[in-house]
Amino acid sequence: MLSTRYEDGSAITATDLREQLRTLLVAGHETTATALVWALYRLHREPAVLERLLGELSSAGTDPDPAELMKLPYLDAVCQETLRLHPPVPIVLRRLTGDFTLRGAPLAAGDTMGISVHLLHTDPAVWPEPRRFRPERFLERRYGPFEFAPFGGGHRRCVGAALADYELRIVLATVLTSVRLRLAPRFAHGPTPLSVPHTITVGPRTAITFDVQP
Ligand code: HEM
């Protein structure tokens, strides 16, 4: 950030730098971290998925370039499927600028309406076996912005989406190729922990823990 320049050649001011760092921390840290823990949880509950992903990562060689990781289709599918089932931001809000009728329900200008990302992502008309973690679905077809919207949509779509996608893939690949993890016994079986509000996101009700394997 310090080395970037505006179009007129000037450097970032201390105020702008502080605001950028605040945005990164407030909007960009917990969202991505929560997605990462859900990805690790799901992968360690689905050995076949983990094995397929590890196979793809090993084919990318040791210490692959981050740009190469971004091209791996199964890694991409795993990250998308994680954001489908566990969207860290559960609702996308809009304030209406005009009157609007939603399926017969009249709404007035100034009202706030929200789109439940979770309901959108589990609509059985779009997602067969919606509760199942199956990254392959993202290799089989492409989903449109009205079907898959973990980063919201339109001109207020998350400005950090590209960075979040990048971070998620690099961190997940690095963790999986550096250590062997095992879900702590209480998480290895049984129901998936509930998601509850954490500051501006939702995440697992209790910290999901892993043991590092020798
Ligand atoms: C997996 C990670 C992330 C998820 C799931 C996520 C999700 C979202 C969602 C759903 C919105 C609302 C979009 C809308 O109203 O249509 C949003 C907005 C926003 N996000 Fe993210 N986000 C993530 C990471 C990040 C990162 C890394 C940054 C910054 C570095 C960031 C910065 C922002 C900002 C500034 C907004 C407000 C945009 C606006 O109102 O114009 N987010 N995010």
Side-chain angles (χ1 to χ4, degrees), residues 151-206:
F151 296 107
H155 67 275
R156 299 307 293 261
R157 184 176 183 267
C158 175
V159 285
L163 175 67
D165 274 343
Y166 201 61
E167 283 181 292
L168 207 51
R169 283 150 186 73
I170 293 171
V171 178
L172 193 58
T174 307
V175 170
L176 290 174
T177 51
S178 309
V179 284
R180 273 183 57 219
L181 299 175
R182 194 178 57 189
L183 265 175
R186 61 184 284 226
F187 298 108
H189 311 284
T192 300
L194 283 179
S195 270
V196 295
H198 288 253
T199 63
I200 60 161
T201 61
V202 292
R205 184 164 58 176
T206 44

Side-chain angles (χ1 to χ4, degrees), residues 23-24 27-28 31-32 35 83 88-89 92 94 150-153 156-160 163-164 167:
T23 304
L24 201 58
T31 41
T32 320
L83 290 174
V89 179
V92 173
R94 292 291 182 268
F151 296 107
R156 299 307 293 261
R157 184 176 183 267
C158 175
V159 285
L163 175 67
E167 283 181 292

Side-chain angles (χ1 to χ4, degrees), residues 51-107:
E51 201 177 313
R52 181 167 177 184
L53 179 58
L54 289 175
E56 186 184 69
L57 293 175
S58 76
S59 72
T62 50
D63 199 19
D65 189 87
E68 291 305 310
L69 290 176
M70 293 305 286
K71 293 184 197 151
L72 297 179
Y74 201 62
L75 177 61
D76 182 66
V78 164
C79 292
Q80 304 224 65
E81 182 71 335
T82 301
L83 290 174
R84 180 184 75 81
L85 275 178
H86 303 285
V89 179
I91 192 161
V92 173
L93 297 170
R94 292 291 182 268
R95 182 164 299 133
L96 297 179
T97 56
D99 296 348
F100 182 66
T101 302
L102 178 66
R103 296 202 170 178
L107 297 163

Side-chain angles (χ1 to χ4, degrees), residues 1 17-33 163 167 199-201:
M1 277 189 213
L17 181 64
R18 192 192 62 207
E19 295 304 319
Q20 290 290 345
L21 292 175
R22 262 166 44 131
T23 304
L24 201 58
L25 190 66
V26 175
H29 173 70
E30 192 166 344
T31 41
T32 320
L163 175 67
E167 283 181 292
T199 63
I200 60 161
T201 61

